[in-house]
Amino acid sequence: MSFCSFVGGEVFKDHFQPGIYVCAKCGHELFSSRAKYEHSSPWPAFTETLRGDSVAKREERPGALKVTCGKCGNGLGHEFLNDGPKKGQSRF
């Protein structure tokens, strides 16, 4: 499943079938469906990446990190610290 292909709207927000979400640009594995949860944002929400090298992060502002594909640098959005479904979890 390609993640962050913004053309034509986000088709995976309400998609909860088992699988792996990959970068729309290069196919690098990013998130597992096991880490996906329902959220009020217009985008899919995940609690963690598939692997440590799935994404690259840099601080954009306090509490929010800019997230890119760990392989090709494609923009994926943000990691919001302490905004996950449980205390202390992040939301990607």
Side-chain angles (χ1 to χ4, degrees):
M1 295 169 265
S2 293
F3 180 67
C4 266
S5 179
F6 295 113
V7 178
E10 181 48 63
V11 296
F12 292 112
K13 179 191 180 332
D14 297 318
H15 183 271
F16 289 93
Q17 296 298 315
I20 303 296
Y21 291 81
V22 301
C23 175
K25 187 173 180 181
C26 73
H28 187 60
E29 294 182 339
L30 303 170
F31 303 99
S32 168
S33 60
R34 291 184 196 137
K36 192 171 187 300
Y37 68 99
E38 289 189 54
H39 190 268
S40 61
S41 71
W43 310 109
F46 302 89
T47 56
E48 62 187 5
T49 60
L50 189 62
R51 293 186 305 269
D53 69 347
S54 293
V55 301
K57 308 172 193 180
R58 68 172 170 78
E59 186 172 17
E60 185 171 79
R61 62 182 184 272
L65 307 175
K66 184 73 175 165
V67 178
T68 57
C69 174
K71 183 176 180 183
C72 73
N74 186 33
L76 302 175
H78 295 85
E79 176 182 359
F80 297 99
L81 306 176
N82 298 309
D83 190 40
K86 294 181 183 173
K87 185 175 181 169
Q89 284 185 321
S90 290
R91 173 174 57 92
F92 288 85

